[in-house]
Amino acid sequence: FLVEGEELRVSATAGVAVFPVDAQNAEALMANAEAALNSAKSQNVPLLFYGPEMNAQAAESLRMENRLKRALENDELALWYQPKIDVRTGKLTGFEALMRWMDPQAGMISPAKFIPIMEQTGLILDAGNWALSQVARDCTTWRDAAKTALRIAVNVSPLQLRAKEFVANVIDAADSIEKTGGLLDLEITESVIMENVDAGSPKLQTVRGLGTHIYIDDFGTGYSSLAYIARLPIYALKIDRSFVVGMTQSEDARGIVNSVVSLAHALKLRVVAEGVETEVQADLLRKMACDEFQGYLFGKPVPATDVPAIMRKFS
């Protein structure tokens, strides 16, 4: 369209329901067309015809949302902890806190199933704040086992980072965790931190001033600008596990990992390799001068009650 000399290009997304196969009255037909539209939006395609599975997916998503609300109310969520190991010394450098959900009916539910629904519904704000306070409670129980101050990294969602109270919540959590003998770190995915660098950077600068280390998670899967990486108050880059797994199969993957390590060190950042599962991967990463390991080779995520045993193992 040409509007006052400016060319405007408009795209559309459509969901289609067909009478009488998909529904036999106007209200149901419109509802099914809307279900098809929502599926088209989520799949980023221009047009989809209605299928019965679309309503089934929407109903399952609604059921999951209601169960998650109950899970937050009934303390069904827990944090499990995976160790990070210094490449040079073999000593424990800290843990990453990972959210788990033990549903009374379905048992342990994969984070891949419930975290996206928390993001979509905004429940991640309450869950994220709960995680920050839960770390402090867990650190209290480890106080006698910890020989030095433990660094615990908590994942931050895009909704949390955008929230006005983000900095205040982190300050409160860092203070509580420090009183129990721990130190708070934050892990933020590359795509999230690049969404709005100008808005996020001042918040992260304030957080870094507390002594909190900021990790860029899943590095290599987004579209970072090196100029922005150099500007942000980052402590370390975490190489996505897909590159670590691919190192033993592809020369290109080895080249990518080696380049990330060199880039990070040039910017005076540390490098953590995620998903290290074999000695071959660990040896390659040592030769590349990677700084920290995280993966099943050194320890799986464990409940808070098992953390003291890991501390003793690496002491």
Side-chain angles (χ1 to χ4, degrees):
F1 298 89
L2 198 63
V3 179
E4 296 184 356
E6 294 291 335
E7 186 181 76
L8 305 179
R9 293 183 175 270
V10 181
S11 61
T13 303
V16 181
V18 180
F19 173 88
V21 177
D22 296 330
Q24 297 187 9
N25 62 68
E27 185 178 355
L29 200 65
M30 289 297 293
N32 289 344
E34 187 173 3
L37 174 61
N38 290 334
S39 293
K41 287 178 179 178
S42 65
Q43 297 176 42
N44 198 28
V45 295
L47 181 145
L48 273 184
F49 281 82
Y50 171 77
E53 73 281 355
M54 294 175 183
N55 277 334
Q57 290 169 359
E60 175 58 27
S61 179
L62 182 60
R63 282 193 294 271
M64 183 75 81
E65 179 184 347
N66 290 331
R67 285 162 58 195
L68 279 167
K69 287 177 180 176
R70 285 199 301 271
L72 281 166
E73 293 169 358
N74 299 335
D75 295 326
E76 294 169 14
L77 298 179
L79 292 179
W80 285 34
Y81 296 88
Q82 187 171 32
K84 299 176 185 177
I85 308 302
D86 187 280
V87 171
R88 295 169 188 80
T89 66
K91 291 184 178 180
L92 184 70
T93 59
F95 291 88
E96 179 183 0
L98 300 162
M99 199 174 292
R100 295 292 185 263
W101 177 21
M102 181 61 74
D103 182 82
Q105 298 171 342
M108 186 71 79
I109 297 179
S110 167
K113 285 188 175 180
F114 71 84
I115 295 293
I117 292 175
M118 281 186 164
E119 294 277 6
Q120 293 163 14
T121 59
L123 289 172
I124 196 67
L125 285 170
D126 289 336
N129 291 333
W130 166 84
L132 288 171
S133 58
Q134 184 61 40
V135 167
R137 289 189 287 271
D138 289 340
C139 281
T140 302
T141 65
W142 306 330
R143 188 178 290 165
D144 294 338
K147 304 301 181 186
T148 58
L150 271 180
R151 305 204 73 98
I152 310 296
V154 178
N155 290 277
V156 175
S157 81
L159 288 179
Q160 284 176 281
L161 187 59
R162 289 196 292 265
K164 291 180 180 178
E165 61 274 13
F166 170 73
V167 172
N169 289 340
V170 172
I171 290 172
D172 289 344
D175 185 53
S176 298
I177 292 167
E178 191 171 355
K179 287 176 181 175
T180 65
L183 295 167
L184 175 67
D185 293 337
L186 300 179
E187 294 198 7
I188 306 173
T189 59
E190 181 183 9
S191 57
V192 168
I193 208 166
M194 289 300 144
E195 275 182 7
N196 194 338
V197 174
D198 292 332
S201 183
K203 294 181 179 180
L204 297 179
Q205 292 284 3
T206 303
V207 168
R208 182 69 186 268
L210 304 171
T212 294
H213 292 169
I214 297 168
Y215 292 75
I216 300 296
D217 201 9
D218 301 335
F219 188 79
T221 59
Y223 302 95
S224 296
S225 161
L226 295 186
Y228 286 139
I229 289 292
R231 274 175 48 198
L232 290 166
I234 298 165
Y235 173 78
L237 304 179
K238 296 188 75 176
I239 301 173
D240 186 71
R241 71 178 305 277
S242 61
F243 296 115
V244 174
V245 171
M247 283 194 313
T248 56
Q249 304 158 4
S250 162
E251 192 171 326
D252 288 343
R254 284 195 297 277
I256 289 171
V257 174
N258 198 28
S259 297
V260 170
V261 174
S262 299
L263 166 67
H265 288 166
L267 295 172
K268 296 181 173 55
L269 305 176
R270 286 174 68 83
V271 183
V272 183
E274 294 185 285
V276 183
E277 298 176 354
T278 68
E279 287 289 357
V280 174
Q281 293 168 351
D283 286 339
L284 285 170
L285 290 162
R286 285 189 189 98
K287 291 173 183 174
M288 295 175 187
C290 184
D291 299 298
E292 293 180 43
F293 290 141
Q294 184 178 347
Y296 282 15
L297 182 63
F298 302 94
K300 296 181 179 181
V302 297
T305 51
D306 293 351
V307 166
I310 294 178
M311 294 181 196
R312 290 191 292 271
K313 175 182 175 182
F314 288 101
S315 64

